[in-house]
Amino acid sequence: MNSITSKLLSILENRAFGSDEVDDAQAVKAVLDEVMGTDLELICCNLFNFTSDADIRMKDRQYRRFQENELDTLIKLLKADDLQDAKAISFLSGAFGY
């Protein structure tokens, strides 16, 4: 695992991740600036969907579980250095179909 993946993991493993849209988006953006043109670029872009949905997670318990499960899966995949499967993680669901 390279240092930038470790940096992203340290951001994601912070249990407060997802509670402050602005701080979280800025932290992900800082990583994104370093990973443009790599597999981590798409992963970071997908994370913006998670950071922008804090209000929905507060109102919708089922959606919160869906997104938090996806985040947990992403963390496991990054730890396993499985970027191919990590790129497939989505924090959006089809019409809230979870």
Side-chain angles (χ1 to χ4, degrees):
M1 176 184 324
N2 64 39
S3 63
I4 195 66
T5 302
S6 295
K7 182 177 179 178
L8 181 58
L9 275 169
S10 70
I11 292 167
L12 300 179
E13 288 181 310
N14 176 351
R15 284 323 310 169
F17 183 76
S19 62
D20 186 320
E21 180 178 341
V22 173
D23 285 345
D24 296 335
Q26 287 174 340
V28 171
K29 173 71 168 82
V31 173
L32 177 62
D33 290 342
E34 296 182 49
V35 299
M36 295 299 286
T38 72
D39 288 335
L40 287 173
E41 178 182 358
L42 179 59
I43 293 166
C44 288
C45 289
N46 287 336
L47 282 165
F48 290 120
N49 294 320
F50 181 87
T51 62
S52 66
D53 284 350
D55 59 331
I56 298 171
R57 284 192 303 277
M58 288 179 64
K59 297 174 189 171
D60 186 333
R61 183 179 54 199
Q62 190 174 3
Y63 194 69
R64 180 179 68 240
R65 275 196 304 264
F66 159 74
Q67 283 199 327
E68 289 176 350
N69 286 339
E70 289 293 281
L71 183 62
D72 290 342
T73 301
L74 177 61
I75 290 169
K76 289 175 189 169
L77 292 169
L78 290 174
K79 285 182 176 181
D81 207 25
D82 184 351
L83 298 183
Q84 281 307 116
D85 286 339
K87 289 189 310 185
I89 295 293
S90 173
F91 297 99
L92 301 176
S93 65
F96 294 107
Y98 313 110

